[in-house]
Structure formats: C-alpha cells, structure tokens
Amino acid sequence: MDAAERDQRAAQPCRRIVDGSLQAADPTPGMSRRVAEHAAGMWTGTVDTEPGAVTGWHHHGEHETTLYIVSGTFRLESGPGGGEVVEAGPGDFVRVPAGAVHRESNPGDQTSRAVVVRCGSGAPTVNVDGPATAAD
C-alpha cells in the first residue's frame, strides 16, 4: 500500500449500522440470518435460531467464519457424519473453517442469537444435503 492509499484509508470515518437496517440474508432452513454489511471480502450480521429448531446442512464456501454467542444455546454439528458436536452459550465464540459442512440447532428454551463475521470470497452460504460420512 502506498502513502496515498494509506492516507485515504486513514481519512475514512467509522460508522454505525443500526439494528433496524439489517436485511434478511442467505436463507438456510431453520434459522434467520440478517446481514449488516457484505463488502470487500467480509460478511457481518446476525443469526437467530428458535428453541428446538435444527437448521439445514450447509457450508460457507471460501469464507472463514467466527460467531459470538449473544444469547441462548447454540449447538453445531460437523465432521464426518455430523458426529462432532460443539455447544456454546452467551459470551462464547465458535469458529467454523471455510468449507466445513455443518448445521446448527438450539436445544434451549429461548431464541439463540449470534453475531457473525465471515472473511473470504464467493457465496457466503451454500446449502447441501448433508455431511460426508467417515467412509467418504
């Protein structure tokens, strides 16, 4: 990056994206995603999962994903046959590698909400039939 580009970046103001301006995004059955911004290789937004819901299987293509759990219980199944299970709650972070086939569920009694940040390129969500099995 040259000095002119660095000066141009330094002059950019910070900005606020209000909750009411988020838009519905990237549908996967069983969850509600909202996008705050999707530009320059980064996707940011939220995901809500209702109590008892189990989402469809999907992956995030070339995007590396980190979720911060704000409320509720967040369960993620991944790996061969979906046999690897991670459960997280408020204050926890969950890391989803690019291309990792997974699904979320909410075994709790309140809606779960997570803040999502994805970095990468291409489609941010790809819905699939299911995970590979151990023999695949």
Side-chain angles (χ1 to χ4, degrees), residues 28-32 48-58 73-77 82 102-108 112:
T28 294
M31 64 172 44
S32 172
D48 293 333
T49 308
E50 295 297 320
V54 178
T55 73
W57 292 98
H58 59 282
T73 304
F74 182 90
R75 180 179 290 159
L76 188 137
E77 300 168 71
H102 62 283
R103 70 179 177 185
E104 291 94 355
S105 61
N106 179 354
S112 66

Side-chain angles (χ1 to χ4, degrees), residues 5-77:
E5 186 178 356
R6 191 171 39 254
D7 289 346
Q8 182 182 13
R9 285 186 178 186
Q12 293 181 35
C14 296
R15 63 191 177 89
R16 176 177 151 213
I17 302 169
V18 298
D19 182 63
S21 70
L22 275 65
Q23 300 292 314
D26 306 343
T28 294
M31 64 172 44
S32 172
R33 288 191 192 96
R34 297 183 314 143
V35 62
E37 187 164 65
H38 184 194
M42 187 171 70
W43 188 104
T44 57
T46 62
V47 62
D48 293 333
T49 308
E50 295 297 320
V54 178
T55 73
W57 292 98
H58 59 282
H59 64 81
H60 300 293
E62 298 300 316
H63 287 81
E64 299 287 337
T65 302
T66 300
L67 298 99
Y68 174 76
I69 312 308
V70 176
S71 61
T73 304
F74 182 90
R75 180 179 290 159
L76 188 137
E77 300 168 71

